[in-house]
Amino acid sequence: MQASADSTKMDYLWSNWKCQAIDLLYWRDIKQTGIVFGSFLLLLFSLTQFSVVSVVAYLALAALSATISFRIYKSVLQAVQKTDEGHPFKAYLELEISLSQDQIQKYTDYLQLYVNSAAKELRRLFLVQDLVDSLKFAVLMWLLTYVGALFNGLTLLIMAVVSMFTLPVVYFKHQAQIDQYLGLVRTHINTVVGKIQAKIPGAKRQTE
């Protein structure tokens, strides 16, 4: 019963986090999304100027400075007002944050599923189970060599974060036009792939 309750609770929390993430990416609360987006950009731009160790240390010092100052302020305020409200972070200190064995097993199973799926897909691509898919993968890797030569990892990460907070809104506002162009591109790609399959021996997909 306890395991079932924990699983239900985690499913509810995951669904809640997913809804919050969607709300952030679609800017449904402009102030909240602006804070999260700005914080991500500030962190990433900081990493372009300082080492990871320095950024983590500065963030930890900033958080400690805020919490220690607030704790001292509340203690002084309670002494002046002669009240006994207790520790200002008592609610957070008593909050349960540990994971149960069943929850850990659940996440481990999810991770195992993703790792196995990725391993099978990579094996299929590198051992050329489907020639067309392997050629597509080769073209993608070739393009990534140029991307890697132009941008470093942090720059790509910054671009990814900016895209995450902008593309969903753009797509939502111009969905019909974007779907139309994507359909045309997909049709053109399928036509080209079909011609390649017809000309290369063994390139046709095997029917299952």
Side-chain angles (χ1 to χ4, degrees), residues 140-194:
L140 176 62
M141 293 299 103
W142 177 68
L143 292 175
L144 286 179
T145 60
Y146 288 93
V147 174
L150 294 174
F151 308 103
N152 59 31
L154 275 176
T155 303
L156 291 175
L157 192 55
I158 292 172
M159 293 171 63
V161 170
V162 173
S163 299
M164 283 174 53
F165 283 90
T166 55
L167 293 183
V169 178
V170 173
Y171 178 75
F172 180 75
K173 292 182 177 179
H174 307 282
Q175 183 175 356
Q177 298 93 321
I178 293 175
D179 286 343
Q180 181 181 359
Y181 289 121
L182 287 178
L184 294 174
V185 172
R186 191 179 297 112
T187 302
H188 181 69
I189 292 176
N190 290 336
T191 302
V192 173
V193 170

Side-chain angles (χ1 to χ4, degrees), residues 5 7 13-14 23 25 54 63 67-70 73 76 81 91 103 106 133 135 139 151 163 179 190 205:
S7 178
L13 290 175
W14 171 251
D23 289 341
L25 296 180
S54 297
T67 54
I68 290 173
S69 300
F70 186 73
Y73 166 74
V76 172
Q81 296 179 349
Q103 292 168 351
K106 181 179 180 181
D133 286 345
L135 288 174
V139 171
F151 308 103
S163 299
D179 286 343
N190 290 336
R205 294 180 183 272

